[in-house]
Amino acid sequence: MGEWSTNAVIGYENLNEYKLYKQDSEFYVYGNRLKLNDDLTYESYYTAPCGNDCFPSTYGKYKITENEELHFQVDSLVVRGFCKNLKKTFKDNVLNFQIMKQDLNGKDELVLVKK
C-alpha cells in the first residue's frame, strides 16, 4: 500500500480515527508518516526538519482483510529526541480498524475507524 501521511503515529496516540492521505510530492517527508511494506510489516513515525523535537515510532505487522479492515499488530514503540526516550515491546497488541474512503478536495483520503 505504500507510504502515507497521517494525522498521528498509529499505536502511539490512542485515537478512534486516523486519517491517511497521499502527498503530492515525494519531497514532503515531514510530519506523521505510515509505511506499509510489501512484506506486511509497517512503521508509523514522526519526522521533522530539525532534531529538537520528540520522535515516536511504532513497528509491527499489518493485515488487510476482504471486509476492508486493517489490523495492526504493534510489536514495539520507540521514542527518541528531546523528551523521555523510551523503548517498549508488546505481545498481543492488536489494533483493528474499518477502512473508510473519503474525498478530500478531489483527492482520496482513507479514514481508519477503530472497531
Side-chain angles (χ1 to χ4, degrees):
M1 282 190 58
E3 189 164 345
W4 299 79
S5 291
T6 64
N7 61 319
V9 174
I10 294 174
Y12 179 64
E13 300 177 49
N14 187 18
L15 301 180
N16 289 322
E17 185 176 282
Y18 291 92
K19 295 184 180 189
L20 282 61
Y21 51 96
K22 293 283 189 177
Q23 286 292 336
D24 288 337
S25 169
E26 64 186 56
F27 300 107
Y28 186 80
V29 295
Y30 302 121
N32 296 305
R33 309 291 287 171
L34 172 65
K35 284 186 186 178
L36 298 174
N37 301 311
D38 292 338
D39 65 357
L40 301 180
T41 61
Y42 85 89
E43 175 183 1
S44 184
Y45 59 95
Y46 171 74
T47 183
C50 64
N52 28 325
D53 209 338
C54 189
F55 299 95
S57 301
T58 61
Y59 305 88
K61 299 170 191 70
Y62 74 94
K63 179 181 178 180
I64 300 173
T65 70
E66 293 177 7
N67 299 330
E68 303 225 355
E69 295 175 348
L70 181 52
H71 306 284
F72 291 99
Q73 167 70 47
V74 183
D75 293 334
S76 63
L77 164 68
V78 176
V79 181
R80 298 182 189 97
F82 282 89
C83 54
K84 183 178 180 181
N85 289 343
L86 175 70
K87 186 173 184 178
K88 289 178 80 173
T89 57
F90 303 100
K91 291 184 182 180
D92 301 321
N93 186 9
V94 178
L95 304 174
N96 299 307
F97 297 95
Q98 184 70 45
I99 302 171
M100 311 294 284
K101 293 182 183 177
Q102 292 183 345
D103 186 288
L104 176 68
N105 299 324
K107 298 178 185 178
D108 284 336
E109 173 186 73
L110 298 180
V111 179
L112 305 180
V113 179
K114 196 176 218 178
K115 293 189 69 150

